[in-house]
Amino acid sequence: MSIPPLGAALAPVHQRYLLEARQMQALSFAVHIPLVCFGIAFPAMVLFLEWLHLRTGDPLYRTLARRWSRIVLALFAVGVITGTILSFEMGLLWPNFTATFGSVFGLGFAIEGFSFFMEAIFIGIYAYGWDRMSPRAHWLSGIPIVITGFTGSLMVISVNAWMNHPGGFALHAGHVVDVDPLRALFGNPYLWSELIHMYIAGYMVTGFLVAGCYAFGRLRGNRIPPTRYQRVALTIPLTIACVAAPVQVLVGDWVARDVAVDQPIKLAAIEGLYPTTRGASEHLLGWYTDGQIKDGIAIPHLLSLLAYHSWDARVQGLDTVPAAQRPPINVVRFAFQTMVGIGTLLALLGIAYLVIRIRRRPLPDSRWVNGALVLAGPAATVALIAGWVTTEVGRQPWVVYRVMPTADAVTGAGGIPVGYGTLVVTYLAVGAGLVWVLRRLARAPLSEREATLPGAAGATPQGP
Amino acid sequence: MLQTLPLVFVLVGLVLYTVLAGADFGAGIWRLVSDRGTRGQALREHANHSMGPVWEANHVWLIFVLTVTWTAYPSFFGSVASTLAVALFLAGVGIILRGAGYALRSGVRSDRELALIDGAFAVASLITPFALGAAAGGIAAERVPVGNAAGDLFASWTGPVSILAGVLAVVFSAYLAAVYLAADAAREHPELVEPFRRRALAAGLAAGAVAAAGLGVLHADAHSLYAGLLSRGALACVIVSALAGAATLGFVIVGRFEAARYGAGLAVAGVIAGWAIARYPTLLPGLSVHRAAAGHDTLVTLIVAVVAGGALLFPALGLLFSLTLRGRLAPGESTPEPIRAARPLGGAVRARLAVALLIVGIGMLNAASAPWAHAVGVVSLFAFMIVAFASLVPAALADEG
Ligand code: HDD
Ligand code: HEM
Ligand code: HEM
């Protein structure tokens, strides 16, 4: 297959620091994406608590919802600024990508802008309106936050899915013509698997991280039996994450089959498959060198079976494209295996918890259980980033798959290392500040009125 | 017409961003210049409280401007962003620090921590409007050519017009903030009205002086823009702007702050509209609106999306501002709420349904491969998650209780 040269809107330039530009982009994402998981999933959890309060009148739920809503607000603020940086980078790092294809994918971000607008407005109303609105109106003001968390991720993912599986435009003499933005963004089969996978990841990351905070509190203070406050605060996010984790494996299988169809080279990189093979084996672990996997565990026929549901299906190998059109194999492979490994472990954890709950046993309050819960949150976050590394690095060297190389998209401006360094320092400072403020919010004593509520006593030092 | 309408959206977004986010930047700047004593403290607290609920929404206008620009005029956006990269990056860092300031302030306990955070916040509040103003000045003075980083990375935004525009953005932000905070103080802290009124007057006079001096700078540094401003409809806009500027000061003197804010908004709108009319249809040297504009379908969809989005957005914004202006979102005493009698949570385990949904989901999503089957599979799996959650959690909570 030959690809017609693309007449980019601005002349492509040679950029010495392309790698740094890519890393700067990767850093900005790695910071933004865990935060947006909280934007996606946390409001729903807070609303569920508040709904419990409205139904039962039990003030404990309200206390907890109120405390969590402060965390939503703080994390949203950081999500907004990291997202703004990403928008800037579309121009600062990749001006030629935006200049050439802005008319194709830009609409997604424009609609996303409105979605965030609504989210920001209603988060403001919700978080500052606790004492000032009727309980029902206050609860209702939280609903748009849940909806916009979904639509916001829908719009962003529609752009990313388009970059992975471009359509909705034609190239005429190398120029982008006949643009149909709706088809480009929403008529794309690739969108749906990516969106669902990311959306569930948001609930897993948030659920395990929040539950982990309370499990950590138990680890430190487990001489006293857990208060009801602590148990409620642990149960709700943990149940959500544990229900989502097994489903995520099923959805991941669907994503992988979409990749096999639309981006065979990415699949080959994920699997480290050099020669095109019938009945290809799946390799666990190991390292890719010289066209094969060293020290891995081979499971015959499994790859053909998983990717195409057939014992002898032909799987396209890396040999079908020139070396310059292959992504960095080991990065992609390692990231993928990390995600799948963690995903499998978390699914097992989820199933174990569900079995315990179905039999109506209490969750053991042991060091091992609490330790596992503390680790699950960071592990889910690592899987999240690893998944995005698989997607984005696996797409290289293309920014728009098989249409525009990343090297043609990059800015001609100098000073990328300076900007990169500045961003690293800034994010480190903000990260340190964020950890500090979350710990402060977690330790803040319940207000006097809250502390006198039944069930809240003793809840103070062990978690938010 | 079709090709110009998105430009109008961008300019309206720019006016709203300048007025709304400007007040927010200004509130940060005033923290820098208010004294250390308890009164300075009260001023700073007031600035923080009254901006808290609205700053994020104000800020999204910038996102709106960026996204509409790169959708409707992609090559214009690429040229501007790559040449003005340094100024925009500075603004970006300022935005990070400011947002972090809001987030961090909620955890503060000692005065020293507060001073540190407020200091960083205030410096960032200076940098961001200055850098954005300077970038706009660079475009106005035709220092941004078409191309991938084709202009000078520094000279493009450090010329006289840029410095002028940057300073004007800072002073004007301080003015807007003082007006806004004075109006807001009238409700709960009457003793703070007078200090903010005096600040508003000083900043307003300064903004007027900078703007007047600006005409001279334009004459020398951007003569074609200067000539454009004195011709056609542009002159009318400039005159409206000047009159509105004078009127808004008058409103401040007599203490009618709400009217003063609208006057200030009109003054900004006049300047931006005048600039646009003077330059129309040129965006950058050699790049007209018509050449930069995206194709027909993109523009139509974009316009529909913006109009539909606006129809949702403005009522919501109205709600937020009316709640804030009426002080409904200020921290305060809680109204005790009616507690209804506890009802037991329905908690019958719908295990069979959940298992059935799970099996259907796996079959449709993982075994089948038709798109419709995948859709059914996803819906089943989501239903499974909801049913499982709904049957496990109430029981768990009941056990805990
Ligand atoms: C909590 C996070 C998490 C977990 C446990 C998993 N994933 Fe994942 N995965 C993601 C979070 C994620 C992600 C970060 O959300 C990605 C990046 C892009 C996307 O759509 O989702 C992703 C991407 C991604 C891709 C690449 C898609 C592309 O290139 O467009 C594949 C093939 C899989 N996943 C497959 C799986 C499988 C088979 C899993 C089973 C164990 C799995 N994922 C668990
Ligand atoms: C629309 C949504 C997009 C999403 C959700 C997305 C997601 C991501 C993520 C999560 C990473 C981080 C990988 C890591 O941590 O190493 C990444 C890296 C990257 N992204 Fe994207 N991206 C998007 C759009 C873009 C755009 C617009 C560009 C540029 C034109 C781009 C180019 C890159 C590049 C070059 C990397 C670095 C790859 C590397 O390190 O080799 N992506 N992206
Ligand atoms: C995995 C991909 C992404 C997802 C799921 C996602 C989702 C979200 C969500 C839910 C928010 C709301 C803020 C919060 O709750 O913290 C947000 C904020 C934001 N995101 Fe992302 N985003 C992604 C990637 C991107 C990319 C690629 C860009 C731009 C190039 C971007 C730009 C923004 C902006 C500008 C905001 C701030 C909006 C505001 O001011 O309210 N995001 N994102």
Side-chain angles (χ1 to χ4, degrees):
Chain A
M1 275 177 278
S2 76
I3 296 148
L6 175 75
L10 314 175
V13 290
H14 177 71
Q15 170 59 263
R16 266 174 69 199
Y17 297 108
L18 174 62
L19 189 65
E20 281 77 2
R22 286 168 55 185
Q23 284 169 356
M24 193 168 160
Q25 180 76 31
L27 169 73
S28 317
F29 273 120
V31 174
H32 181 65
I33 290 181
L35 290 164
V36 308
C37 288
F38 282 84
I40 289 175
F42 216 14
M45 298 184 194
V46 175
L47 277 194
F48 179 70
L49 278 171
E50 198 187 2
W51 177 79
L52 284 176
H53 167 68
L54 292 181
R55 268 201 70 176
T56 64
D58 185 340
L60 179 110
Y61 297 128
R62 185 176 194 267
T63 307
L64 193 55
R66 199 175 166 142
R67 287 171 76 77
W68 284 3
S69 73
R70 270 189 256 164
I71 299 175
V72 173
L73 190 70
L75 289 177
F76 183 74
V78 190
V80 167
I81 53 185
T82 54
T84 308
I85 295 309
L86 285 171
S87 306
F88 273 59
E89 284 175 350
M90 297 286 287
L92 299 184
L93 293 178
W94 317 105
N96 217 4
F97 167 68
T98 317
T100 311
F101 293 107
S103 63
V104 189
F105 70 78
L107 184 73
F109 284 123
I111 303 179
E112 187 208 24
F114 278 105
S115 168
F116 291 151
F117 233 134
M118 301 295 276
E119 190 167 2
I121 290 170
F122 283 97
I123 283 189
I125 293 177
Y126 187 84
Y128 290 91
W130 276 101
D131 298 328
R132 301 299 180 112
M133 295 158 81
S134 81
R136 176 173 295 270
H138 183 258
W139 188 76
L140 287 176
S141 76
I143 304 276
I145 311 175
V146 180
I147 298 174
T148 51
F150 177 76
T151 50
S153 47
L154 166 66
M155 292 304 147
V156 180
I157 303 277
S158 73
V159 176
N160 190 270
W162 172 82
M163 293 166 61
N164 278 296
H165 189 230
F169 66 95
L171 285 180
H172 181 70
H175 286 277
V176 175
V177 291
D178 289 342
V179 176
D180 179 352
L182 290 180
R183 196 159 69 79
L185 294 173
F186 308 112
N188 179 357
Y190 207 76
L191 163 63
W192 305 109
S193 55
E194 249 198 288
L195 172 69
I196 305 289
H197 199 49
M198 174 66 207
Y199 197 65
I200 297 182
Y203 275 86
M204 283 177 68
V205 168
T206 310
F208 280 127
L209 279 176
V210 175
C213 291
Y214 293 93
F216 187 66
R218 294 304 305 149
L219 272 185
R220 287 205 313 199
N222 65 2
R223 300 261 162 66
I224 14 167
T227 58
R228 182 161 161 259
Y229 177 93
Q230 285 176 322
R231 284 188 310 231
V232 169
L234 182 88
T235 300
I236 289 175
L238 184 61
T239 311
I240 291 183
C242 286
V243 170
V247 172
Q248 181 74 325
V249 176
L250 303 174
V251 175
D253 169 60
W254 175 33
V255 179
R257 279 183 292 139
D258 274 0
V259 172
V261 172
D262 291 321
Q263 296 191 317
I265 297 306
K266 188 190 274 180
L267 183 78
I270 284 175
E271 302 296 344
L273 184 72
Y274 185 78
T276 302
T277 316
R278 286 191 168 280
S281 334
E282 171 92 23
H283 287 86
L284 303 182
L285 306 176
W287 189 256
Y288 175 90
T289 39
D290 302 329
Q292 54 190 350
I293 304 291
K294 265 183 66 177
D295 301 330
I297 307 162
I299 308 174
H301 292 281
L302 187 63
L303 178 55
S304 288
L305 211 54
L306 280 180
Y308 297 103
H309 284 180
S310 140
W311 187 252
D312 261 335
R314 173 175 168 280
V315 183
Q316 189 178 341
L318 293 163
D319 61 349
T320 49
V321 293
Q325 288 186 22
R326 295 174 202 153
I329 313 294
N330 277 317
V331 177
V332 179
R333 218 176 151 259
F334 182 71
F336 181 74
Q337 304 229 341
T338 307
M339 166 176 62
V340 174
I342 293 175
T344 312
L345 291 177
L346 291 179
L348 293 176
L349 177 74
I351 292 171
Y353 174 77
L354 294 182
V355 169
I356 292 178
R357 284 307 330 166
I358 288 169
R359 300 167 67 193
R360 294 195 75 158
R361 299 277 165 74
L363 184 67
D365 186 35
S366 75
R367 285 197 87 74
W368 281 101
V369 171
N370 285 323
L373 294 185
V374 169
L375 288 182
T381 314
V382 171
L384 174 83
I385 308 278
W388 277 108
V389 172
T390 312
T391 305
E392 293 293 289
V393 180
R395 193 189 58 223
Q396 302 303 319
W398 304 102
V399 59
V400 182
Y401 192 58
R402 294 178 59 76
V403 177
M404 179 185 250
T406 311
D408 284 3
V410 72
T411 177
I416 286 180
V418 179
Y420 183 29
T422 313
L423 196 69
V424 170
V425 172
T426 313
Y427 274 170
L428 281 177
V430 171
L434 193 63
V435 171
W436 172 81
V437 77
L438 288 179
R439 294 192 50 174
R440 269 287 167 84
L441 289 181
R443 291 217 204 106
L446 300 172
S447 79
E448 257 170 48
R449 186 170 158 271
E450 287 169 337
T452 54
L453 297 174
T460 319
Q462 291 117 349
Chain B
M1 175 61 194
L2 185 62
Q3 291 170 325
T4 311
L5 199 51
L7 185 63
V8 175
F9 293 154
V10 169
L11 295 175
V12 170
L14 215 52
V15 172
L16 287 168
Y17 181 67
T18 316
V19 174
L20 296 171
D24 182 27
F25 292 130
I29 298 170
W30 287 120
R31 294 191 198 174
L32 198 63
V33 292
S34 54
D35 59 83
R36 298 223 151 265
T38 40
R39 225 213 27 201
Q41 180 66 21
L43 292 179
R44 282 193 295 269
E45 281 308 319
H46 178 57
N48 189 55
H49 280 153
S50 50
M51 298 314 299
V54 288
W55 76 270
E56 276 151 337
N58 289 345
H59 181 86
V60 189
W61 285 110
L62 180 61
I63 313 283
F64 173 81
V65 168
L66 292 178
T67 54
V68 173
T69 309
W70 78 46
T71 310
Y73 312 104
S75 55
F76 167 71
F77 179 83
S79 307
V80 167
S82 55
T83 289
L84 294 173
V86 177
L88 294 178
F89 184 72
L90 281 177
V93 172
I95 288 173
I96 301 183
L97 293 178
R98 282 173 40 81
Y102 275 112
L104 297 188
R105 226 169 176 278
S106 56
V108 161
R109 243 171 268 148
S110 76
D111 286 350
R112 210 168 46 87
E113 291 167 0
L114 195 64
L116 188 73
I117 290 175
D118 272 353
F121 187 86
V123 173
S125 300
L126 267 177
I127 293 176
T128 309
F130 179 82
L132 290 175
I139 301 174
E142 309 200 335
R143 286 190 156 83
V144 179
V146 177
N148 184 345
D152 190 287
L153 276 186
F154 289 93
S156 56
W157 60 280
T158 49
V161 177
S162 287
I163 303 295
L164 172 86
V167 171
L168 189 58
V170 169
V171 179
F172 191 72
S173 298
Y175 170 66
L176 282 169
V179 171
Y180 179 82
L181 292 172
D184 206 46
R187 220 178 39 240
E188 290 186 5
H189 304 281
E191 77 283 4
L192 293 180
V193 172
E194 189 48 29
F196 278 116
R197 198 180 68 96
R198 266 186 277 117
R199 284 171 168 73
L201 269 183
L205 287 174
V210 176
L215 284 179
V217 174
L218 282 185
H219 183 71
D221 189 42
H223 195 81
S224 70
L225 178 62
Y226 179 80
L229 279 177
L230 294 186
S231 66
R232 293 185 288 167
L235 186 61
C237 292
V238 174
I239 292 174
V240 167
S241 172
L243 290 179
T248 175
L249 278 180
F251 286 128
V252 170
I253 293 177
V254 299
R256 296 200 36 213
F257 300 113
E258 195 55 26
R261 295 188 71 202
Y262 290 112
L266 191 59
V268 184
V271 169
I272 290 182
W275 172 26
I277 294 175
R279 304 286 294 142
Y280 190 82
T282 311
L283 288 175
L284 297 176
L287 185 70
S288 70
V289 169
H290 308 287
R291 270 202 41 218
H296 174 268
D297 287 8
T298 301
L299 294 178
V300 170
T301 339
L302 177 70
I303 290 168
V304 171
V306 170
V307 170
L312 279 175
L313 177 67
F314 282 102
L317 266 183
L319 181 64
L320 177 67
F321 283 123
S322 71
L323 288 172
T324 331
L325 290 181
R326 277 186 280 135
R328 298 287 292 273
L329 298 184
E333 274 306 295
S334 65
T335 33
E337 64 179 57
I339 292 185
R340 284 196 273 147
R343 258 196 271 158
L345 290 160
V349 181
R350 303 168 194 93
R352 293 226 176 98
L353 178 58
V355 171
L357 285 169
L358 182 62
I359 291 174
V360 172
I362 295 178
M364 289 298 183
L365 185 68
N366 301 97
S369 43
W372 66 265
H374 287 166
V376 175
V378 167
V379 172
S380 308
L381 288 177
F382 270 86
F384 159 74
M385 290 191 280
I386 292 169
V387 172
F389 179 79
S391 44
L392 290 177
V393 160
L397 295 181
D399 290 354
E400 311 286 3

